[in-house]
Amino acid sequence: MDGLLFLWISWMLWVMVTFFIRRNQGRYKLSIWILTTIICSNIYVMIPSLDISLSFISLIVGGFVLFVMTNQRVYHFICSFTVMIGYVSFLIWEQQAPVWVLLPRDVLLPFFMLIMCTFIAQGLLSRTAIVLIGMCCGDLLYSLMLLQYSFERAVGTLIFLDSLFVVIFILFIIEGLRVCTSYVKVRIHHMKLPLQAKP
């Protein structure tokens, strides 16, 4: 079922942000952003020859807001452009060769995007901004390319949202594992200090 992964992950993220993050202005904005994306997932804005999901607009705007909050914006812009080209290339390759025979698209595409963003960027904020902008711009570019051949394709469909949110969810898991590993290392270091102080 298209959109099932998107809804499951987005609701999970909303619960985490709403109930487990310290109360501040940023938490409320993030919570509203996720909720808006969920609500608008099946609403499309129709412009000549192109249907654009309101969730897509919400995500790309949020991606640019995160992008402004990062350092090294020129580098991150190049990274987003690289992810965009990689996303479009994958979709073209998918049409030309049946890659889903080897692995399902829901596995192969997020894995490919995840590998790209983890190698070219550091930190959860930077990686999330790069993935949001890169994949959203890639989806828009691919639809515009098909439009040149008189093929109409909606932008920001539930299939796209599934792939995007799987990548974001795995990025959060990677960051959580990094934080837990750092905490364990600090605790082990503090436990060793009294032992080293003994004569």
Side-chain angles (χ1 to χ4, degrees):
M1 178 182 174
D2 296 339
L4 186 61
L5 288 173
F6 157 68
L7 290 173
W8 183 72
I9 294 170
S10 56
W11 275 116
M12 185 183 299
L13 291 175
W14 183 81
V15 168
M16 289 170 58
V17 168
T18 305
F19 298 106
F20 297 102
I21 292 181
R22 191 182 310 168
R23 291 185 180 181
N24 54 41
Q25 197 68 21
R27 187 190 80 162
Y28 293 118
K29 291 178 182 177
L30 187 57
S31 177
I32 291 171
W33 178 42
I34 296 172
L35 201 56
T36 302
T37 304
I38 296 170
I39 293 170
C40 297
S41 59
N42 279 318
I43 304 173
Y44 289 83
V45 176
M46 296 184 181
I47 61 174
S49 303
L50 199 63
D51 296 341
I52 302 178
S53 168
L54 285 182
S55 288
F56 175 87
I57 297 172
S58 171
L59 288 169
I60 198 168
V61 169
F64 279 109
V65 170
L66 293 177
F67 180 80
V68 171
M69 296 168 60
T70 62
N71 299 320
Q72 300 178 323
R73 291 173 192 164
V74 175
Y75 174 73
H76 289 143
F77 174 78
I78 296 171
C79 293
S80 300
F81 182 78
T82 304
V83 171
M84 179 188 74
I85 297 300
Y87 180 81
V88 174
S89 301
F90 181 91
L91 293 182
I92 294 172
W93 181 39
E94 183 185 38
Q95 292 297 322
Q96 298 299 320
V99 294
W100 57 87
V101 172
L102 301 176
L103 284 173
R105 183 184 191 273
D106 294 337
V107 174
L108 197 57
L109 179 57
F111 178 75
F112 180 59
M113 293 292 103
L114 188 67
I115 292 296
M116 285 188 67
C117 72
T118 51
F119 274 106
I120 62 180
Q122 297 292 328
L124 179 63
L125 181 65
S126 299
R127 288 173 176 171
T128 305
I130 287 168
V131 165
L132 282 171
I133 296 172
M135 289 185 68
C136 286
C137 290
D139 199 56
L140 178 60
L141 178 61
Y142 183 68
S143 293
L144 292 174
M145 288 172 60
L146 290 182
L147 200 58
Q148 299 299 315
Y149 298 96
S150 301
F151 291 108
E152 294 186 8
R153 176 184 178 272
V155 180
T157 60
L158 291 175
I159 298 174
F160 164 76
L161 294 175
D162 280 344
S163 300
L164 177 61
F165 272 77
V166 166
V167 176
I168 292 173
F169 184 63
I170 297 174
L171 287 176
F172 271 83
I173 291 175
I174 292 172
E175 182 67 15
L177 291 174
R178 187 193 65 79
V179 171
C180 291
T181 303
S182 300
Y183 176 78
V184 170
K185 286 181 179 178
V186 169
R187 294 296 298 174
I188 291 174
H189 179 70
H190 284 302
M191 290 173 62
K192 287 183 178 179
L193 286 178
L195 297 175
Q196 293 173 356
K198 291 182 179 180

